[in-house]
Amino acid sequence: QVTLRESGPALVKSTQTLTLTCTFSGFSLSTSGMCVTWVRQPPGKALEWLALIEWDDDKYYSTSLKTRLTISKDTSKNQVVLTMTNLDPVDTATYYCARKEGYGYALDYWGQGTLVTVSS
Amino acid sequence: DIQMTQSPSTLSASVGDRVTITCRASQSISSWLAWYQQKPGKAPKLLIYKASSLESGVPSRFSGSGSGTEFTLTISSLQPDDYATFYCQQYNSYPWTFGQGTKVEIK
């Protein structure tokens, strides 16, 4: 059974750094083709793709946010960590992690999301 | 970045209606397109991947078509459980991008 769960602070202040952890089970990020990604959604707005890490440690980032994002994995702990620097109130959103199983597949399992509010 | 444009933004339909949502990519993405359904307060749910492949467990009233730059999601007979917001997403190249969403409302 595949599950993903996001964890991190619910409230952060402007200019601070946010660290979110995605803890998953039911699959291994060392399996060829496996990926974990982060997506966010500001209240009432659309989904926004943020970053992705592949099984072989290749990493990809949103063009507009790449200077502020870092994604990493700890395969032994079944965790993926997303760090976002220099937060602003516009970064207030629900942050989701999700997995992609391999070539040709899409995001088939998602966490329930974690709401992060950035205060000024 | 590849831009994904959905139309319409909002759609009002009745139970039993046939519903079609369109997604256009700013450049060719071959068939690397997914459709998701999202209900309020919930995570998105994968419906369709590779433009027309139905995800396991998804009702057959959902179907996807298209390739290149134009894609459609069709619900053959709208059911009460289908009222939600639908998003397309391209995964042809990084950075991945989502459409702005189409909200399907009760008429």
Side-chain angles (χ1 to χ4, degrees):
Chain A
Q1 178 190 1
V2 173
T3 64
L4 301 98
R5 185 183 77 251
E6 306 88 352
S7 59
L11 181 65
V12 293
K13 294 182 178 180
S14 289
T15 74
Q16 288 186 336
T17 295
L18 172 67
T19 299
L20 295 172
T21 301
C22 176
T23 303
F24 56 86
S25 63
F27 67 96
S28 173
L29 198 42
S30 60
T31 299
S32 177
M34 200 69 72
C35 311
V36 170
T37 195
W38 286 91
V39 173
R40 73 178 179 180
Q41 185 172 41
K45 296 190 177 181
L47 301 169
E48 179 183 16
W49 181 79
L50 299 178
L52 178 143
I53 189 163
E54 293 185 335
W55 65 282
D56 57 0
D57 211 37
D58 280 346
K59 301 164 187 175
Y60 302 91
Y61 296 99
S62 158
T63 300
S64 61
L65 292 168
K66 62 184 176 182
T67 61
R68 300 171 52 207
L69 295 175
T70 302
I71 192 169
S72 63
K73 64 181 174 71
D74 186 330
T75 305
S76 64
K77 292 183 179 179
N78 282 351
Q79 291 181 333
V80 170
V81 175
L82 181 74
T83 301
M84 179 181 291
T85 61
N86 194 23
L87 286 177
D88 183 272
V90 299
D91 296 312
T92 294
T94 296
Y95 288 75
Y96 296 99
C97 62
R99 81 142 198 192
K100 178 177 178 290
E101 187 176 11
Y103 183 76
Y105 295 98
L107 301 173
D108 58 351
Y109 286 92
W110 294 65
Q112 84 279 9
T114 187
L115 175 61
V116 178
T117 301
V118 182
S119 64
S120 54
Chain B
D1 296 7
I2 298 174
Q3 291 197 2
M4 306 301 293
T5 304
Q6 289 182 233
S7 60
S9 295
T10 307
L11 185 160
S12 296
S14 301
V15 172
D17 283 354
R18 183 181 182 87
V19 168
T20 299
I21 300 169
T22 298
C23 179
R24 289 186 174 88
S26 61
Q27 64 190 73
S28 177
I29 58 170
S30 185
S31 295
W32 303 119
L33 183 102
W35 290 97
Y36 301 89
Q37 176 191 54
Q38 188 181 33
K39 296 181 179 179
K42 301 293 187 182
K45 172 188 174 184
L46 177 64
L47 301 175
I48 302 285
Y49 64 96
K50 214 159 47 176
S52 60
S53 296
L54 191 68
E55 174 69 357
S56 176
V58 173
S60 59
R61 63 181 179 273
F62 292 94
S63 64
S65 65
S67 66
T69 61
E70 189 150 341
F71 302 84
T72 58
L73 172 71
T74 300
I75 308 172
S76 61
S77 178
L78 195 67
Q79 298 301 300
D81 190 48
D82 299 340
Y83 291 97
T85 300
F86 295 84
Y87 293 94
C88 62
Q89 178 234 334
Q90 69 82 16
Y91 55 106
N92 176 74
S93 61
Y94 296 106
W96 290 356
T97 42
F98 287 90
Q100 82 280 13
T102 295
K103 185 175 183 179
V104 176
E105 299 180 329
I106 301 172
K107 189 173 183 179

